[in-house]
Amino acid sequence: MTLRIDIGGLPSARLRFAASPLAELTAMLHVLAEPAHHPQFADWAADVRAGLRPEQAERIGEAEFLWRSSRADFLVPARPRPTLAEELDDVDRIDDETYVTAALVTTCGSNRVHFGAPSPLADATARERAMDLAQARGPLQEAFAQRLLADPAVVRARVRHTLEQCADAFFDAAWSDVAVRLATDLRLKNDLLKRHGTGAALASVSGAVTLAPDGDCIIVDKLQDNATTARGTGVTFIPTVFGRPHLLVVHAPGWQPVVQYPVAEAGPAEPVSLETVTLRLEALAHPVRLRLLRTLARGPHTTGELAHAWELSSPEVSRHLAVLRRAGLLTSRRQGRYVRYTANLSDLTALGTDLVAAVLR
């Protein structure tokens, strides 16, 4: 599964790397809303929640659908500005229909409100449908959607004020340090783009982001099949510290493509592709292969030894070993005329982590 961004004929200058205060603030808000996604920020999140006044916590909670399961597209700017205030001013310039539609996508459930469909602000059927979807998500979502559709201007002003309060409460203090890390990453990315081209710059973003062989498409390894185009607009890449492990992509029709990616840090290796994770899960789905792995986890064995241990034919064992080998779950070593197989315990151990990373990505 992949998300593809068409960049055919797009000059490299239209690929832009820039930091966004608004995108980082809403990444922080996502951490507060979904702390289980971000255990590395558990202490930070606990300190922030402890320091919030009750009315601030309530304000954040009433709008959290804009950044909880995913983020409203207008919160990840295609044209980042130096300050949060400037980016919030840009959001204010978005017309009500565009703002409301983007907000309802996150409030009602991803991909359930479609670009080009009748506006719920003007069409009674679309409005009823949006409210039905919001109601199915829960009473808080229903209440937020109802306020948003009844008076978009009031809700928009309230959301902006909430974000400004967050800046005072915790964002400004964190941003000074975060901005330094983002600036370091941006220097690297822009230098790679200038000196070595698009492919090298994308490779440094994430192992889940690649350039198609023909150079006309950016391929993002995501748990979805979708496509968008950057022709005539360009693509913006925004680094994030608090967004890890998510790789967020704005790709809805009518919006310029934006990729928010975690800055590189020491420790975890590059993400394992969704294709590899799927291949490994499928390899482990067969009971015979699980039995073979159980034996191989205890030490090296030949095909003949495995066949004898499990009362199988050698050709049958060979077929199962081939599946496990293609999935990268075995290592082999030749000793004379024998080939001995061993379970790749490190990748088996990491499979759960790799699966969660692929789902969250």
Side-chain angles (χ1 to χ4, degrees):
M1 298 184 186
T2 58
L3 194 156
R4 304 173 70 88
I5 304 173
D6 181 5
I7 59 169
L10 195 71
S12 60
R14 301 301 292 275
L15 270 67
R16 182 183 186 190
F17 288 87
S20 164
L22 178 58
E24 195 66 15
L25 168 55
T26 50
M28 293 179 187
L29 287 167
H30 173 75
V31 171
L32 295 176
E34 292 284 6
H37 291 187
H38 310 271
Q40 71 274 33
F41 296 118
D43 291 342
W44 174 87
D47 288 344
V48 169
R49 285 194 293 268
L52 290 173
R53 298 192 304 274
E55 62 272 19
Q56 289 177 322
E58 182 180 354
R59 290 281 291 265
I60 291 173
E62 73 181 25
E64 71 174 10
F65 321 111
L66 299 179
W67 50 72
R68 183 168 196 139
S69 58
S70 60
R71 258 179 286 165
D73 291 335
F74 53 76
L75 297 177
V76 190
R79 293 174 177 81
R81 306 292 188 182
T83 68
L84 178 63
E86 290 173 286
E87 292 187 324
L88 291 175
D89 287 344
D90 285 345
V91 173
D92 287 345
R93 295 185 186 98
I94 298 172
D95 63 83
D96 280 348
E97 184 172 328
T98 301
Y99 185 102
V100 168
T101 299
L104 288 176
V105 168
T106 58
T107 305
C108 298
S110 182
N111 300 323
R112 294 187 178 186
V113 180
H114 300 287
F115 179 84
S119 168
L121 290 176
D123 184 88
T125 301
R127 183 189 186 90
E128 183 178 359
R129 173 63 174 161
M131 287 305 304
D132 286 344
L133 291 170
Q135 185 178 42
R137 300 283 288 181
L140 295 178
Q141 289 92 326
E142 179 184 14
F144 181 81
Q146 191 170 42
R147 292 194 302 271
L148 181 66
L149 291 171
D151 197 335
V154 169
V155 173
R156 293 179 64 162
R158 189 171 177 84
V159 168
R160 172 168 183 155
H161 188 221
T162 298
L163 295 174
E164 291 170 338
Q165 285 185 326
C166 290
D168 293 335
F170 60 86
F171 175 72
D172 289 346
W175 177 247
S176 57
D177 290 332
V178 168
V180 174
R181 293 185 61 184
L182 300 184
T184 300
D185 182 85
L186 290 171
R187 283 194 295 271
L188 171 64
K189 299 296 189 292
N190 284 308
D191 185 64
L192 284 171
L193 183 63
K194 179 180 178 180
R195 295 175 181 274
H196 301 286
T198 301
L202 294 181
S204 72
V205 166
S206 168
V209 180
T210 56
L211 184 65
D214 62 8
D216 284 345
C217 184
I218 296 172
I219 302 171
V220 185
D221 188 50
K222 294 276 283 182
L223 196 60
Q224 57 185 279
D225 284 312
N226 222 317
T228 188
T229 181
R231 296 185 182 188
T233 59
V235 185
T236 301
F237 292 86
I238 298 175
T240 175
V241 170
F242 280 81
R244 179 175 297 276
H246 304 305
L247 185 65
L248 186 150
V249 185
V250 173
H251 60 86
W255 295 89
Q256 178 177 328
V258 182
V259 179
Q260 188 184 37
Y261 64 92
V263 297
E265 62 179 26
E270 282 294 332
V272 174
S273 72
L274 179 60
E275 180 182 5
T276 298
V277 173
T278 303
L279 195 64
R280 289 175 178 171
L281 291 174
E282 290 173 347
L284 295 173
H286 198 289
V288 171
R289 291 195 280 273
L290 283 176
R291 295 188 188 107
L292 295 177
L293 274 175
R294 183 176 184 272
T295 302
L296 293 171
R298 286 161 172 75
H301 287 71
T302 66
T303 300
E305 288 172 330
L306 291 168
H308 176 74
W310 291 103
E311 299 181 350
L312 300 168
S313 70
S314 290
E316 184 178 3
V317 170
S318 294
R319 287 195 297 273
H320 286 300
L321 292 179
V323 174
L324 292 168
R325 192 167 58 247
R326 284 196 297 272
L329 297 176
L330 295 183
T331 57
S332 61
R333 182 179 180 183
R334 178 172 289 279
Q335 294 179 322
R337 63 190 184 91
Y338 295 104
V339 176
R340 297 189 181 278
Y341 297 93
T342 306
N344 185 345
L345 294 180
S346 61
D347 283 347
L348 274 170
T349 302
L351 183 56
T353 302
D354 293 338
L355 174 60
V356 171
V359 170
L360 292 181
R361 188 161 66 234

